[in-house]
């Protein structure tokens, strides 16, 4: 117990498992109380367990992106959304479009019920983005890459490069602003965008060239020559077929699990388990062609298991509430009323905040400033 509290970086897959659990929980509700509680839990855990790395500082970008998504969703509702409700909020004239866009009208009277529905759908999507941002802020992308299976090494490299764009962009913007302040140029706002955009673009290109050179020097993408080319081609075909068929089976099984009333009973958990087994078999077969060495692999101990279980508890709480009181997972809009608070879902989300307490703190050299 004492050794687990020593400062160390948590396994990156544990943070992603925790964040994906919260994202799934957010996708199952439009209750503003539960969505707000999810954001509070994510913010609390990130503030307690983030480091001073560039990807940790990018969490604010994901929060900002979530706010932009909410605003964009509301603007779309006002412009072309389906207007419904009884309480008038904004009386606007309706503009009918030509016959080729029949059924779509621009503007129109905005009602409170329809406006709230648009806001809540935007908030739901924003919480999904914030949950992914929490995983990016807490998990080191380079350590995440070396934790992936061999079959996903190339795909994981592309994903890691993609999710590293936002942290590197935030770091570049901060360094450019600090350099401008040192030169006595403290101008901000839209007028400062042209002066900041070009240095940031140049820094991004320099980082891309350095990354390409590093990958080339390490032989990324090279293949070992195999004596039996036919066996290699057959193994690759079998890998692709197993993986693709397994993913299709997983999708079919997930539909049966999420909506058992519209699908046969046998198409739920058994089909999902079969699809996962086929997908893992395909990845294991494909991993034989990729040889990756790992130096000092990240340990998986009980704090990592607890972190993933906390995310799964949040999902389980949503499933229990959906079975016991499904109406409480949605905001009552017709008629308009105050939202309720389901007990199981609330407790599950609160349990998801435990990683901020039970996991070991990050190394002191990488702690973020408070």
């Amino acid at each position: 117990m004492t050794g687990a509290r020593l400062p160390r970086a948590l396994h990156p897959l544990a943070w992603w498992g925790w964040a994906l659990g919260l994202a799934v929980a957010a996708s199952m509700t439009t209750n503003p109380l539960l969505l707000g509680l999810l954001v509070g839990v994510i913010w609390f855990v990130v503030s307690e367990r983030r480091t001073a790395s560039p990807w940790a500082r990018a969490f604010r970008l994901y929060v900002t992106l979530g706010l932009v998504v909410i605003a964009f969703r509301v603007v779309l509702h006002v412009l072309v959304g389906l207007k419904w409700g009884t309480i008038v909020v904004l009386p606007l004239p309706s503009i009918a479009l030509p016959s080729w866009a029949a059924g779509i009208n621009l503007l129109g009277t905005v009602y409170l019920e329809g406006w709230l529905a648009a806001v809540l759908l935007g908030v739901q999507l924003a919480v999904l983005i914030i949950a992914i941002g929490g995983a990016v802020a807490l998990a080191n992308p380079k350590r995440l890459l070396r934790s992936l299976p061999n079959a996903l090494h190339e795909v994981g490299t592309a994903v890691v490069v993609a999710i590293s764009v936002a942290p590197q962009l935030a770091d570049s913007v901060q360094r450019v602003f600090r350099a401008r302040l040192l030169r006595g140029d403290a101008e901000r706002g839209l007028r400062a965008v042209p002066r900041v955009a070009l240095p940031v673009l140049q820094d991004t290109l320099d980082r891309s060239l350095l990354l390409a050179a590093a990958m080339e020097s390490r032989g990324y993408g090279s293949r070992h020559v195999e004596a039996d080319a036919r066996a290699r081609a057959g193994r690759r075909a079998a890998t692709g077929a197993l993986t693709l068929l397994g993913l299709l089976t997983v999708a079919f099984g997930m539909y049966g699990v999420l909506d058992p009333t519209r699908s046969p009973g046998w198409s739920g958990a058994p089909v999902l388990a079969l699809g996962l087994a086929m997908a893992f078999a395909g990845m294991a077969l494909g991993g034989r062609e990729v040889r990756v060495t790992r130096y000092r692999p990240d340990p998986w101990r009980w704090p990592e298991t607890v972190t993933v279980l906390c995310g799964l508890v949040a999902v389980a709480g949503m499933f229990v509430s959906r079975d016991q009181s499904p109406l409480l997972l949605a905001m009552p809009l017709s008629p308009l009323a105050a939202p309720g608070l389901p007990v199981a879902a609330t407790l599950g989300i609160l349990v998801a905040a435990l990683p901020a307490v039970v996991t070991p703190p990050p190394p002191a050299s990488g702690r973020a400033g408070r």
Side-chain angles (χ1 to χ4, degrees), residues 10-27 38 41-42 45-46 59 127-139 304 306-312 314-315 352 355:
L10 209 67
H11 199 289
L13 290 180
W15 286 126
W16 274 98
W18 170 81
L20 290 177
L22 295 183
V24 172
S27 66
L38 282 168
V41 167
I42 297 171
V45 175
V46 170
F59 180 67
V127 175
L128 294 176
I129 295 173
I130 293 173
I132 299 302
V136 173
L138 294 171
E304 282 81 0
V306 171
T307 300
V308 176
L309 289 178
C310 287
L312 294 178
V315 179

Side-chain angles (χ1 to χ4, degrees), residues 52 69 107 128 130 156 187 200 258 275 343:
V69 167
L107 301 179
L128 294 176
I130 293 173
E187 186 177 4
V200 170
L258 295 177
V343 177

Side-chain angles (χ1 to χ4, degrees), residues 95-261:
I95 303 175
L97 295 179
S99 57
W100 55 267
I104 301 177
N105 295 328
L106 291 178
L107 301 179
T109 302
V110 179
Y111 297 94
L112 180 60
E113 293 88 345
W115 181 82
L116 282 177
V119 171
L120 291 176
L121 289 176
V123 171
Q124 185 183 49
L125 182 56
V127 175
L128 294 176
I129 295 173
I130 293 173
I132 299 302
V136 173
L138 294 171
N140 188 329
K142 297 178 182 178
R143 294 175 56 230
L144 175 65
L145 174 61
R146 71 184 188 187
S147 301
L148 293 177
N150 291 350
L152 300 178
H153 180 72
E154 296 182 357
V155 177
T157 301
V159 172
V160 168
V161 171
I163 65 178
S164 300
V165 170
Q168 292 178 358
L169 207 60
D171 187 42
S172 298
V173 172
Q174 291 179 357
R175 288 192 289 108
V176 170
F177 270 115
R178 285 197 296 266
R180 291 177 64 247
L181 288 175
L182 291 175
R183 295 185 180 96
D185 187 0
E187 186 177 4
R188 294 182 177 272
L190 295 178
R191 294 182 179 179
V193 171
R195 303 180 184 178
V196 175
L198 187 58
V200 170
L201 177 61
Q202 180 181 357
D203 186 69
T204 304
L205 292 176
D206 291 340
R207 286 174 180 264
S208 301
L209 293 175
L210 290 175
L211 176 62
M215 295 173 70
E216 179 70 21
S217 65
R218 288 166 174 80
Y220 174 78
S222 61
R223 294 281 183 178
H224 291 275
V225 179
E226 189 170 329
D228 192 356
R230 292 183 178 180
R232 176 181 174 184
R235 186 162 60 244
R236 294 183 66 179
T239 299
L242 269 176
T243 306
L244 180 60
L245 188 59
L247 292 177
L248 292 176
T249 309
V250 167
F252 186 68
M254 284 296 296
Y255 179 79
V257 170
L258 295 177
D259 194 1
T261 59

Side-chain angles (χ1 to χ4, degrees), residues 321 325 328 341-348:
S321 295
S325 52
L328 293 179
L341 199 61
V343 177
T346 304
L347 292 178

